[in-house]
């Protein structure tokens, strides 16, 4: 820590816990407690049960979790391909052209996500690109919403990349494609995995645009959580929220391990 005195460190930790617990940790703890509750009329829930989690293990809840995982995985891969390639292509651009490209990629996150959902609904509800009522339009919406983060992450990594590596490879006769595949991409792998993790987490929690676009047979888990809480099943919604958090964290932990190994390569 930057605070060197013992009293200062204690004061810093006290301030940290005073701010962290009520603002961040306590809401998650309440959700976890509610997921096991049958009734909550006092300070703490009563009659703990695993029934809400048993319901998640099958039926619509399991299908919704699988749908969220598949949607987030597809959106992350597509966002990484589009955003990463665009960042590589825009690396050498300067001036107004670079600003326009940056603005185009940032635009989906600069406006409310419901606007993105409405624009896709209007754009793809008529032939020849009829995607309305299919899973593809949901995946497309998630991809549009998270591509900006992949683009910015890869662009920031490219700005920090030492050009000496690719210059050395080029001086030894390596072709541009070989330099990209064998030199630049391995150096960018930690940033690529970090961007993929961020895109995955954001896609798992996306609700606004999804509510406008999802078909009945492709309902992601956030939509089901909203439906459960909207009809008054708060404890069931809490269990679904815990499942959503845990599954997202598990995938992020796996990606974190991949990123760590890529860093030490």
């Amino acid at each position: 820590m930057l605070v060197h005195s013992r009293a200062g460190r204690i004061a810093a930790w006290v301030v940290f816990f005073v701010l962290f617990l009520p603002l961040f940790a306590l809401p998650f703890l309440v959700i976890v407690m509610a997921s096991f509750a049958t009734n909550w009329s006092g300070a703490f829930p009563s009659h703990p049960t695993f029934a809400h989690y048993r319901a998640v293990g099958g039926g619509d809840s399991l299908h919704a979790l699988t749908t969220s995982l598949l949607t987030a995985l597809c959106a992350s891969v597509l966002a990484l391909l589009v955003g990463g390639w665009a960042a590589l292509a825009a690396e050498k651009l300067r001036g107004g052209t670079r600003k326009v490209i940056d603005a185009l990629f940032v635009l989906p996150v600069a406006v409310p996500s419901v606007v993105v959902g409405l624009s896709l609904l209007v754009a793809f509800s008529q032939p020849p690109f009829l995607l309305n009522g299919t899973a593809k339009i949901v995946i497309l919406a998630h991809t549009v919403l998270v591509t900006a983060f992949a683009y910015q992450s890869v662009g920031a990594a490219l700005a920090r990349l030492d050009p000496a590596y690719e210059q050395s490879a080029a001086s030894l006769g390596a072709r541009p494609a070989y330099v990209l595949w064998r030199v630049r991409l391995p150096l960018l792998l930690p940033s690529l995995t970090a961007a993929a993790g961020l895109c995955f987490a954001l896609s798992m929690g996306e609700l606004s645009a999804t509510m406008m676009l999802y078909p009945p047979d492709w309902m992601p888990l956030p939509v089901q959580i909203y439906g459960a809480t909207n009809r008054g099943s708060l404890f069931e919604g809490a269990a679904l929220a815990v499942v959503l958090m845990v599954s997202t964290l598990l995938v992020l932990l796996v990606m974190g391990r991949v990123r760590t190994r890529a860093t030490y390569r």
Side-chain angles (χ1 to χ4, degrees), residues 160-233:
R160 299 191 303 267
L161 198 62
D162 190 351
Y165 295 104
E166 59 177 303
Q167 290 173 358
S168 299
S171 66
L172 294 174
R175 296 180 178 274
Y178 184 88
V179 173
L180 174 64
W181 183 253
R182 300 291 296 176
V183 178
R184 306 196 75 190
L185 288 182
L187 292 174
L188 290 173
L189 190 58
S191 298
L192 291 173
T193 53
L198 178 60
C199 293
F200 183 89
L202 293 171
S203 177
M204 285 291 287
E206 160 56 33
L207 176 63
S208 299
T210 309
M211 288 286 292
M212 302 187 65
L213 300 171
Y214 78 96
D217 59 342
W218 195 263
M219 178 190 295
L221 195 55
V223 178
Q224 188 166 14
I225 294 172
Y226 175 81
T229 56
N230 192 47
R231 64 175 181 267
S233 302

Side-chain angles (χ1 to χ4, degrees), residues 78-246:
L78 291 174
L80 203 60
L81 291 174
V82 176
W85 188 261
L88 287 168
E91 181 187 10
K92 304 300 183 182
L93 298 178
R94 294 293 183 271
T97 305
R98 178 62 184 270
K99 292 181 180 179
V100 170
I101 293 178
D102 290 344
L104 288 176
F105 275 94
V106 174
L107 184 61
V109 296
V111 300
S113 57
V114 67
V115 176
V116 176
L118 179 60
S119 64
L120 293 176
L121 186 64
V122 174
F124 297 104
S125 292
Q126 299 291 335
F129 302 107
L130 182 58
L131 301 180
N132 187 15
T134 66
K136 295 178 183 178
I137 195 170
V138 179
I139 296 174
L140 178 60
H142 285 228
T143 303
V144 171
L145 289 170
V146 302
T147 298
F149 299 97
Y151 174 79
Q152 291 179 327
S153 298
V154 177
L158 286 170
R160 299 191 303 267
L161 198 62
D162 190 351
Y165 295 104
E166 59 177 303
Q167 290 173 358
S168 299
S171 66
L172 294 174
R175 296 180 178 274
Y178 184 88
V179 173
L180 174 64
W181 183 253
R182 300 291 296 176
V183 178
R184 306 196 75 190
L185 288 182
L187 292 174
L188 290 173
L189 190 58
S191 298
L192 291 173
T193 53
L198 178 60
C199 293
F200 183 89
L202 293 171
S203 177
M204 285 291 287
E206 160 56 33
L207 176 63
S208 299
T210 309
M211 288 286 292
M212 302 187 65
L213 300 171
Y214 78 96
D217 59 342
W218 195 263
M219 178 190 295
L221 195 55
V223 178
Q224 188 166 14
I225 294 172
Y226 175 81
T229 56
N230 192 47
R231 64 175 181 267
S233 302
L234 298 180
F235 303 139
E236 178 187 346
L240 293 173
V242 172
V243 170
L244 179 64
M245 289 190 295
V246 171

Side-chain angles (χ1 to χ4, degrees), residues 60-72 218-221:
D60 295 337
S61 299
L62 183 60
H63 181 264
L65 175 61
T66 305
T67 299
S68 287
L69 291 171
L70 290 176
T71 300
W218 195 263
M219 178 190 295
L221 195 55

